[in-house]
Amino acid sequence: MKKKYIIFARHLICAIICLLVIIGITHGYAYASTGELSEAKEDAPRNSVGISTGLYISSGVANASTRIVNYDNSIVGIVCIMSLQKFQNGSWVNVESWRKTSSGESIYLSASRGVSRGKYRVKSRVTVYKGNSVETMEVYSQTVTY
């Protein structure tokens, strides 16, 4: 009986951890190239939307993500343009961009792309439509060297 309880407890703990990861417990962090967590930059006001962006590169594949959480019911539209950027010749150049829109719901955008050696980051440009006003914000992940 005690053995069944221990097995059940282990499964329950694993299920809780998986659930927390799925609902975004890692919000506000970006993965560095070594797999370590490093804090992402977040310029959005916390009372309207929360924005986190991340980048992880492994075996020549860049995995970019942006999560936008809507905290304000009066927001009627959100547009996210997420760009993978590479540092070349002293400036950041877009490698590829992806776009996702919503009519006010939270957004999760993720994409993968093969990359060569170099320094990369993710730039997320988020436009929020609220009543008659429009607010645009840019958030950058930490730089990842591959």
Side-chain angles (χ1 to χ4, degrees):
M1 181 69 171
K2 187 176 181 182
K3 203 175 217 182
K4 286 184 179 180
Y5 175 75
I6 291 172
I7 292 171
F8 174 76
R10 286 182 184 167
H11 285 120
L12 182 62
I13 290 170
C14 288
I16 290 171
I17 290 171
C18 289
L19 180 63
L20 290 174
V21 169
I22 289 170
I23 63 171
I25 196 69
T26 59
H27 173 76
Y29 292 90
Y31 290 99
S33 61
T34 60
E36 299 171 2
L37 289 173
S38 58
E39 195 167 336
K41 299 176 183 176
E42 186 169 331
D43 297 328
R46 295 291 298 179
N47 60 352
S48 61
V49 294
I51 305 169
S52 63
T53 188
L55 175 62
Y56 183 80
I57 301 176
S58 178
S59 301
V61 178
N63 299 289
S65 64
T66 299
R67 180 183 307 274
I68 304 162
V69 180
N70 181 359
Y71 296 115
D72 187 339
N73 291 334
S74 64
I75 292 174
V76 296
I78 301 172
V79 177
C80 175
I81 300 172
M82 179 177 74
S83 301
L84 176 64
Q85 297 184 322
K86 184 176 184 178
F87 192 73
Q88 292 179 321
N89 301 321
S91 64
W92 291 99
V93 178
N94 285 348
V95 175
E96 189 167 348
S97 296
W98 303 270
R99 178 186 174 104
K100 190 164 187 178
T101 63
S102 84
S103 56
E105 300 85 16
S106 297
I107 290 177
Y108 181 71
L109 175 58
S110 66
S112 299
R113 185 188 197 288
V115 293
S116 59
R117 298 283 178 190
K119 285 186 180 183
Y120 293 88
R121 72 179 182 185
V122 173
K123 172 186 171 183
S124 293
R125 183 178 174 90
V126 178
T127 303
V128 175
Y129 299 89
K130 180 179 175 181
N132 292 329
S133 66
V134 177
E135 181 179 9
T136 300
M137 300 152 274
E138 290 183 351
V139 179
Y140 298 87
S141 72
Q142 297 288 59
T143 300
V144 175
T145 302
Y146 172 67

